[in-house]
């Protein structure tokens, strides 16, 4: 296998990739923002203009808002901390809604929309499944697959790098898991109070969490955007989905822990 590297070297290459992204940005995604003349006028460390232009060339907003498909975008009100959900079934989705959902401080700047300063949805709702679970008008049984980039369960950290990574995974992974359990229980209560046809419907909800290997640079894995890293994550996601689809289980919530 010509691309094989021993584990320590794979980890080192992961760190080199992340540091390179931190210093130079990511082509077609973002680049470092030039410092402002005013030291008190901070916006963000990076400029997402390349991603805005790339999305503009790829997305047909007419079709996106035609009702053919439904999309929900979540952002966070930077001042109040409240989640803000934009649902194409209720309002038109535009480029600024997408960009607002990327405003992860301090790396990427929030966007002001309708008088609110909006940032990354992960700061409040890391996985916006609420519009689906709150909808009791869906016909038939529900199959819902939730893909989370952070796993709430993991091993004991044995280094500073591992401790920082574990903290990030717990902050985001726990948010998703605990909110999901609450929403599921609330949905079950609502159904039990409704007619018998509703209560007989089954929900199959599968939570898939990405579990990085030795090649990932710990707490900087979000900035390892090399082709090799993206290919590895694509492969892991494909295997996880095949595993999830093969599961024969009628539990209300299934957490996939494929090794």
């Amino acid at each position: 296998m010509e691309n094989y590297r021993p584990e320590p070297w794979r980890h080192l290459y992961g760190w080199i990739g992340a540091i390179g992204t931190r210093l130079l940005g990511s082509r077609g995604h973002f680049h470092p923002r030039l410092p402002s003349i005013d030291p008190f006028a901070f916006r963000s460390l990076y400029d997402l203009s390349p991603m805005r232009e790339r999305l503009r060339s790829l997305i047909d907003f007419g079709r996106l808002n035609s009702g053919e498909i439904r999309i929900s975008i979540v952002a966070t009100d930077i001042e109040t901390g409240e989640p803000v959900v934009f649902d194409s079934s209720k309002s038109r989705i535009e480029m600024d809604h997408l960009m607002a959902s990327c405003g992860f401080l301090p790396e990427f700047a929030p966007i002001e929309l309708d008088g609110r300063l909006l940032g990354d949805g992960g700061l409040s709702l890391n996985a916006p499944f609420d519009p689906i679970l709150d909808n009791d008008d869906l016909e038939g049984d529900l199959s819902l697959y939730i893909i989370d980039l952070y796993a709430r369960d993991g091993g004991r950290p044995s280094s500073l790098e591992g401790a920082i990574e574990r903290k990030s995974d717990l902050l985001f992974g726990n948010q998703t898991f605990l909110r999901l359990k609450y929403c599921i229980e609330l949905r079950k209560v609502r159904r039990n109070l409704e007619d018998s046809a509703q209560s007989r419907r089954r929900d199959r909800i599968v939570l898939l969490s990405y579990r990085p290997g030795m090649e990932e640079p710990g707490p900087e894995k979000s900035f390892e955007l090399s082709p090799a890293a993206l290919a590895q994550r694509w492969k892991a996601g494909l295997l996880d989905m095949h595993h999830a689809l093969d599961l024969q289980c009628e539990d209300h919530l299934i957490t996939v822990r494929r090794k």
Side-chain angles (χ1 to χ4, degrees), residues 18-84:
I19 292 172
T21 302
R22 283 285 190 181
L23 293 176
L24 304 175
S26 176
R27 184 179 179 182
H29 188 188
F30 60 87
H31 56 70
R33 186 183 294 278
L34 295 176
S36 172
I37 300 177
D38 183 355
F40 300 102
F42 175 79
R43 288 192 64 195
S44 64
L45 296 176
Y46 303 100
D47 186 345
L48 281 169
S49 296
M51 190 172 77
R52 178 185 284 269
E53 294 307 312
R54 189 174 187 180
L55 292 177
R56 194 185 307 279
S57 68
L58 294 173
I59 298 175
D60 182 344
F61 282 92
R63 182 180 179 185
L64 187 70
N65 292 285
S66 67
E68 180 182 347
I69 58 175
R70 180 182 177 185
I71 181 172
S72 297
I73 304 295
V74 64
T76 301
D77 189 313
I78 296 299
E79 294 179 289
T80 67
E82 290 292 321
V84 181

Side-chain angles (χ1 to χ4, degrees), residues 135-196:
N135 187 354
D136 294 323
D137 296 329
L138 296 174
E139 296 182 2
D141 298 338
L142 172 67
S143 291
L144 173 62
Y145 294 88
I146 301 163
I147 302 173
D148 197 355
L149 297 179
Y150 301 91
R152 70 186 293 264
D153 59 306
R156 297 182 180 183
S158 57
S159 63
L160 175 60
E161 176 188 340
I164 298 174
E165 179 185 20
R166 191 74 197 108
K167 181 183 75 171
S168 296
D169 288 347
L170 286 169
L171 286 173
F172 290 105
N174 257 341
Q175 178 203 117
T176 298
F177 184 80
L178 296 176
R179 246 185 58 252
L180 181 58
K181 286 184 65 177
Y182 167 78
C183 289
I184 289 174
E185 290 301 318
L186 185 60
R187 181 177 172 86
K188 289 170 65 177
V189 169
R190 289 200 311 268
R191 284 187 144 176
N192 289 334
L193 294 175
E194 294 173 353
D195 60 71
S196 56

Side-chain angles (χ1 to χ4, degrees), residues 79 94 107-108 144 154 168 196 200 202 216 226 230 247:
E79 294 179 289
E94 300 288 1
E107 282 84 2
F108 307 116
L144 173 62
S168 296
S196 56
R200 286 196 300 269
R202 294 184 179 277
E216 295 278 16
S226 67
L230 297 181
L247 287 175

Side-chain angles (χ1 to χ4, degrees), residues 65 217 236 250-251 255:
N65 292 285
E250 295 184 356
D251 289 346
T255 303

